[in-house]
Amino acid sequence: SKSYMKVLLESTFTLAPAGHNPECFRLYEAVEAGSIPVISLDKDYKQHKCKDSLSHWLDSPIVIVESWNEAIPTMQKLLEEPEALDKRQADLHVWYNQYMSSAVHD
């Protein structure tokens, strides 16, 4: 919906918990909107039968935490360094374009 997209466009970070598959549409929507996805490699992820679906995302400039309890402190720390955050967003944009290009051409 329009309000969901508006929130994504205005968000620095987007929480992307695993659902039926850890690699959910929310990752793609967030990056397309310029928001940095945040994922947790918690026990639910580690026990998920489709956890390998995130393997290519693990080397990307998204935010990866070991538990959701780390998410807020991690995001707060990143927000304290605007230049580094801008670089992460730019790096994510480059990574995503390369990833999507290889997905289409391979």
Side-chain angles (χ1 to χ4, degrees), residues 2-68:
K2 286 184 181 183
S3 61
Y4 172 68
M5 186 48 92
K6 184 176 188 301
V7 168
L8 279 180
L9 289 167
E10 294 174 354
S11 298
T12 303
F13 302 104
T14 299
L15 301 180
H20 292 292
N21 187 327
E23 185 185 37
C24 64
F25 63 90
R26 197 171 297 106
L27 291 166
Y28 295 91
E29 291 174 339
V31 177
E32 289 282 340
S35 182
I36 301 170
V38 179
I39 63 170
S40 176
L41 302 183
D42 59 7
K43 65 177 176 67
D44 292 332
Y45 167 79
K46 290 175 182 171
Q47 295 173 355
H48 202 288
K49 64 183 177 183
C50 296
K51 68 181 178 193
D52 292 338
S53 67
L54 279 180
S55 61
H56 53 279
W57 287 91
L58 299 180
D59 292 327
S60 73
I62 64 174
V63 175
I64 300 171
V65 295
E66 292 297 318
S67 79
W68 287 112

Side-chain angles (χ1 to χ4, degrees), residues 63-103:
V63 175
I64 300 171
V65 295
E66 292 297 318
S67 79
W68 287 112
N69 292 333
E70 297 174 15
I72 291 175
T74 300
M75 291 183 288
Q76 287 173 329
K77 184 176 180 187
L78 290 168
L79 288 168
E80 291 172 2
E81 299 180 33
E83 295 84 15
L85 187 58
D86 288 345
K87 182 178 182 328
R88 183 184 288 253
Q89 286 176 311
D91 290 348
L92 179 58
H93 180 74
V94 169
W95 177 89
Y96 183 73
N97 285 337
Q98 290 172 346
Y99 169 70
M100 292 304 286
S101 179
S102 69

